[in-house]
């Protein structure tokens, strides 16, 4: 797609009902993101997400998806020890239907990316703001500001690409830096809060669809699905309370 100049469209999905809708809508990549922690599991970060939780979500998304590439996040604590740990974790996600895995970090992950790739598991990298390192990064901050930091990001992406990564997410990176990284990257870049010159874009589906009032500045709401769902639930409640639901067409005769 990058060679053809076609933008890569990626959204998160965490369950079958959502994955089916996003897949049929023509999304290229469905990411079973560890943002499931914030969106679906009620955690206040991605750090508590377990591999077992990712396995359930990945199996659900993979079963419902016919067209899109399914990429599953390796959650915090399941790959940082090195290639052996990463391979054991990634295998569990591939066994339930992931076509590829994603992991966070720069050149320090190159050996791990190489090991997974050697094992036949495609790897998507993730640099810039990496939410699993929020404590080390000191909060939700744009990454790659300044010439040194930008150079470091270019080198990270090149090392990850040489190790075999097939794509890289750039999160919260200044627009000109993301453009330069994209230009020098051996593999496609997929941006979130990284401007329009990446090879693709990713959003958390609930931000994209307007499920909640608040969304990060880099997201846009392409629908008001939260409002629509709330209205549907309100209409159901009213119909039950007034006795207009169920009607004869909804019940069974003797
Ligand atoms: O978990 C996630 O949703 C992600 C995307 C923001 C890239 O990693
Ligand atoms: Na993630």
């Amino acid at each position: 797609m990058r060679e053809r100049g076609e933008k890569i469209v990626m959204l998160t999905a965490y369950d079958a009902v959502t994955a089916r809708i996003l897949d049929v809508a023509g999304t290229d990549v469905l990411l079973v993101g560890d943002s499931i922690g914030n969106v679906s599991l009620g955690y206040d970060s991605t750090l508590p997400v377990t591999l077992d939780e990712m396995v359930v979500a990945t199996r659900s998304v993979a079963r419902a998806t016919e067209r899109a590439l399914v990429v599953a996040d390796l959650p915090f604590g399941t790959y940082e020890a090195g290639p052996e740990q990463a391979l054991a974790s990634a295998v569990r996600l591939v066994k339930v239907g992931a076509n590829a895995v994603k992991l966070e970090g720069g050149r320090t992950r190159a050996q791990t990316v190489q090991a997974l790739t050697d094992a036949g598991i495609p790897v998507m990298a993730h640099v810039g703001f990496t939410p699993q390192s929020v404590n080390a990064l000191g909060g939700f901050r744009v990454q790659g500001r300044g010439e040194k930091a930008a150079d470091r990001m270019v080198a990270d992406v090149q090392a990850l690409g040489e190790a075999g990564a097939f794509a890289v997410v750039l999160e919260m990176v200044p627009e000109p830096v993301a453009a330069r990284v994209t230009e020098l990257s051996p593999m496609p870049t997929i941006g979130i809060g990284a401007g329009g010159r990446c090879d693709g874009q990713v959003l958390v589906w609930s931000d994209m669809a307007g499920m909640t009032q608040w969304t990060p500045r880099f997201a846009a709401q392409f629908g008001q699905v939260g409002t629509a769902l709330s209205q549907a639930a309100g209409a159901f409640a009213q119909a039950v309370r007034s006795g207009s639901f169920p009607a004869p067409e909804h019940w069974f005769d003797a």
Side-chain angles (χ1 to χ4, degrees):
M1 290 182 73
R2 171 172 155 138
E3 280 163 14
R4 290 196 298 267
E6 293 172 29
K7 292 282 189 182
I8 298 164
V9 178
M10 177 158 129
L11 285 169
T12 67
Y14 315 111
D15 60 27
V17 65
T18 318
R20 200 169 283 118
I21 291 168
L22 303 179
D23 183 45
V24 170
T27 313
D28 299 312
V29 184
L30 289 180
L31 171 68
V32 188
D34 62 354
S35 52
I36 189 176
N38 309 68
V39 176
S40 298
L41 302 179
Y43 303 143
D44 57 12
S45 81
T46 62
L47 298 180
V49 175
T50 67
L51 190 56
D52 286 341
E53 288 166 340
M54 291 302 300
V55 164
V56 172
T58 301
R59 188 169 52 213
S60 309
V61 168
R63 280 176 168 169
T65 301
E66 284 183 9
R67 178 188 168 276
L69 186 81
V70 175
V71 180
D73 263 343
L74 285 167
F76 177 64
T78 70
Y79 62 96
E80 298 88 334
E84 229 175 282
Q85 186 197 27
L87 186 57
S89 303
V91 163
R92 287 198 61 203
L93 298 171
V94 173
K95 290 269 190 196
V96 296
N99 302 126
V101 299
K102 180 164 78 58
L103 54 80
E104 298 182 2
R107 74 199 78 171
T108 55
R109 303 285 180 240
Q111 226 192 321
T112 294
V113 169
Q114 180 84 60
L116 296 178
T117 304
D118 287 348
I121 302 173
V123 180
M124 182 178 283
H126 184 161
V127 303
F129 178 69
T130 46
Q132 294 175 13
S133 305
V134 61
N135 291 313
L137 295 173
F140 286 76
R141 293 187 178 169
V142 172
Q143 303 293 314
R145 275 207 174 114
E147 203 170 327
K148 253 195 191 154
D151 286 347
R152 225 178 301 130
M153 196 174 294
V154 168
D156 279 340
V157 166
Q158 286 175 337
L160 291 161
E162 271 161 35
F166 74 95
V168 59
V169 167
L170 308 181
E171 180 164 353
M172 288 179 75
V173 176
E175 194 276 343
V177 176
R180 183 159 149 247
V181 170
T182 299
E183 204 174 302
L184 299 173
S185 169
M187 71 287 213
T189 63
I190 300 174
I192 176 163
R197 286 189 277 173
C198 299
D199 298 304
Q201 296 290 325
V202 57
L203 284 177
V204 169
W205 86 263
S206 50
D207 292 338
M208 180 280 298
M211 291 298 285
T212 52
Q213 297 288 330
W214 184 87
T215 52
R217 186 168 87 79
F218 53 72
Q221 298 186 333
F222 294 86
Q224 297 297 324
V225 181
T227 302
L229 184 55
S230 173
Q231 283 167 352
F236 170 65
Q238 211 220 327
V240 169
R241 289 175 188 136
S242 71
S244 70
F245 179 86
E249 66 263 32
H250 304 121
W251 66 56
F252 302 97
D253 293 325

